[in-house]
Amino acid sequence: MKNVKYAKCVKCGKIYEATPNLTNCECGGILDIVYDYDYIKANLTKEKLAARPHDMWRYRELLPIEETTEPTPLRVGWSPLYEEPRLAEKLGLKQLWVKDDGQNPTASLKDRASAMAVAKAREAGAKVIACSSTGNAASSLAGNAAAAGLKTYIFVPSRAPKGKVAQLMTFGATVISVQGSYEDTFELSKKAIEKWGWYNRNAAINPYLSEGKKTVSLEIAEQLQWKMPDYLAISVGDGCTIAGTWKGLKDLYAIGFIDKLPRLISCQAEGCCPLNRAIAENKDWHPMEENTLADSIAVGVPRNADKALMAIRESNGIVVNVSDAEIMAAQKLLGMTCGVFGEPAGVTGTAGVKKLCEQGVLGKNDTVVSVVTGNGLKDVANAIKACGEPITIPSDMDLLLKAFADKGIVVE
Ligand SMILES: *Cc1c(COP(=O)(O)O)cnc(C)c1O
Ligand SMILES: [Zn+2]
């Protein structure tokens, strides 16, 4: 890879050759891919980019793949970035955009990392990929691997919503539903991966995954014609997504494509916010219980704490925790005002933005991008609980009129 120099441990600084099988540093630290920005500058222009297909591989000079590596089969990335003036007005913001990453092929941002895992597994000559996941990494890996003809072994906690498990089974993964927490699930997957030598798509362990995730911020920048907002809000579990988002922004800054870095807004659930707590108290992180209905970010032991905390601090970021009720209210608000349906963890970023507006931290001078990280159809049970019942009547016009009258609905 001419665009990549090496991988470097974020803890001890040890340097590794960027081979496709990289995992953690021998010290246990997480590796970061270091690029040759001079090479990239000389080989990538905005004009060149503009002519390319609309998927994540359009940024290949900024991605850790061989020049000869084929794009993966499913179309991942280039999700829409909607400007939302009505929601901005409601919240009291100058400008707000919503990036709907639930529109990826398996309906979450995780497709960006899983497509990268498939590309690297192919480079490594692997035939089998494995991971543990709260659900979305699992279903996205299963889908992207199925399309590429690779086998998958997937470990999920037994609490994973049915929508995600249905995807897994349909994509033909061998699924192990672990009776325990995400932490327990992770530990079992780790042992199995060691035993059988499968290609490892575990969050944080594989340093290429957050490089895939960073394409979300590369796209946001390009979709905004390289004019960056003041803030970028995103939900946080293991921390790979927010770390990747920051990496993408720094890459673009380093090659001169953008001249301003937004501040990150790290949004977690009140019932599980080890990373935000560490920032708020300016201390190390400590495990927490996984006490939220936002299952994708119910991560008590974040796997990518180092990179995530660094990203939030470097960006002079803001942290905000929201209750499950606030998450479900944001889901409804996004649905009603934007027509965007996010799963609970998917809308936690927007819930955080709303809360910061109410607290007066954000206001009429601020421009914000809020990333919706997963589609609402992943977890219909919680949505139905939060939304209430529809009008249920027999096929009878009189009963319809009566129901409207009872509910005070005035037909326009
Ligand atoms: C995984 C996930 C997140 C959080 O990403 P991390 O890398 O775990 O911090 C947020 N939202 C959704 C829908 C996810 O699947
Ligand atoms: Zn190290």
Side-chain angles (χ1 to χ4, degrees):
M1 294 181 282
K2 291 188 200 134
N3 57 338
V4 170
K5 287 186 174 165
Y6 43 74
K8 185 175 175 188
C9 174
V10 297
K11 226 178 205 152
C12 76
K14 186 167 172 174
I15 283 172
Y16 292 81
E17 188 192 338
T19 55
N21 284 309
L22 278 184
T23 55
N24 277 350
C25 178
E26 59 193 18
C27 83
I30 289 167
L31 300 183
D32 184 43
I33 305 300
V34 178
Y35 291 89
D36 180 343
Y37 290 125
D38 291 333
Y39 175 85
I40 296 168
K41 257 190 200 165
N43 284 277
L44 184 64
T45 62
K46 292 176 181 175
E47 293 68 36
K48 221 177 188 177
L49 257 183
R52 291 186 180 170
H54 285 137
D55 62 48
M56 65 181 265
W57 303 113
R58 67 196 273 105
Y59 303 108
R60 56 166 51 236
E61 286 87 350
L62 287 163
L63 296 174
I65 51 167
E66 300 290 347
E67 272 176 291
T68 51
T69 298
E70 299 274 325
T72 48
L74 296 181
R75 189 276 310 155
V76 177
W78 207 258
S79 60
L81 180 75
Y82 299 121
E83 185 169 0
E84 302 287 2
R86 279 182 301 125
L87 186 53
E89 196 187 330
K90 231 177 213 168
L91 298 179
L93 288 167
K94 184 173 170 191
Q95 248 178 326
L96 173 70
W97 294 266
V98 169
K99 173 91 168 154
D100 185 8
D101 238 44
Q103 291 203 31
N104 276 302
T106 76
S108 82
L109 188 148
K110 293 291 193 299
D111 281 330
R112 299 175 185 275
S114 291
M116 179 60 74
V118 167
K120 297 308 286 184
R122 278 172 160 177
E123 286 181 8
K127 296 276 178 289
V128 181
I129 315 183
C131 77
S132 66
S133 154
T134 55
N136 283 334
S139 51
S140 76
L141 177 62
N144 282 279
L150 299 173
K151 245 181 102 57
T152 48
Y153 288 85
I154 309 272
F155 298 76
V156 286
S158 52
R159 65 155 202 250
K162 286 205 168 59
K164 300 180 184 179
V165 179
Q167 286 183 299
L168 284 173
M169 301 307 290
T170 302
F171 293 142
T174 302
V175 183
I176 302 96
S177 177
V178 178
Q179 295 160 321
S181 65
Y182 172 50
E183 170 68 3
D184 301 327
T185 308
F186 188 92
E187 288 305 322
L188 181 61
S189 77
K190 192 171 149 198
K191 285 177 195 150
I193 288 169
E194 267 164 30
K195 178 167 172 64
W196 285 293
W198 301 323
Y199 191 80
N200 191 337
R201 188 247 179 264
N202 269 339
I205 304 296
N206 182 327
Y208 296 112
L209 303 181
S210 59
E211 302 298 318
K213 284 185 169 182
K214 85 183 176 189
T215 56
V216 73
S217 55
L218 303 181
E219 283 173 17
I220 289 169
E222 192 178 359
Q223 288 169 320
L224 290 175
Q225 281 87 46
W226 315 105
K227 286 192 216 48
M228 298 312 293
D230 301 320
Y231 296 93
L232 196 159
I234 200 150
S235 53
V236 175
D238 270 313
C240 301
T241 308
I242 196 165
T245 302
W246 184 237
K247 178 77 174 281
L249 295 169
K250 285 206 305 182
D251 283 351
L252 293 176
Y253 192 83
I255 61 169
F257 276 32
I258 58 174
D259 55 13
K260 165 181 165 177
L261 290 165
R263 294 174 68 184
L264 297 175
I265 301 176
S266 166
C267 305
Q268 293 205 284
E270 276 175 6
C272 190
C273 55
L275 294 174
N276 280 359
R277 187 173 67 178
I279 296 282
E281 297 177 355
N282 201 19
K283 287 190 185 134
D284 283 346
W285 70 274
H286 297 283
M288 273 183 91
E289 280 182 40
E290 296 173 354
N291 195 3
T292 170
L293 58 71
D295 62 289
S296 307
I297 52 167
V299 179
V301 180
R303 294 289 151 192
N304 215 339
D306 286 342
K307 274 194 197 174
L309 293 173
M310 227 184 301
I312 300 166
R313 291 193 171 117
E314 256 180 43
S315 82
N316 189 22
I318 300 180
V319 299
V320 57
N321 301 320
V322 287
S323 67
D324 284 357
E326 287 167 330
I327 290 171
M328 296 318 286
Q331 182 184 57
K332 187 81 199 289
L333 181 65
L334 264 172
M336 285 174 63
T337 40
C338 310
V340 170
F341 185 19
E343 67 166 278
V347 303
T348 299
T350 310
V353 171
K354 179 167 179 278
K355 189 162 185 172
L356 292 171
C357 289
E358 287 158 4
Q359 292 173 343
V361 178
L362 299 179
K364 62 177 176 19
N365 297 321
D366 297 317
T367 60
V368 181
V369 170
S370 182
V371 183
V372 172
T373 49
N375 191 283
L377 291 173
K378 295 259 190 184
D379 176 9
V380 288
N382 276 310
I384 288 170
K385 248 189 268 164
C387 283
E389 295 296 323
I391 297 168
T392 307
I393 51 167
S395 173
D396 182 319
M397 199 57 201
D398 290 335
L399 289 176
L400 181 61
L401 292 175
K402 182 174 181 307
F404 278 4
D406 288 350
K407 292 223 165 209
I409 295 173
V410 180
V411 179
E412 288 168 37

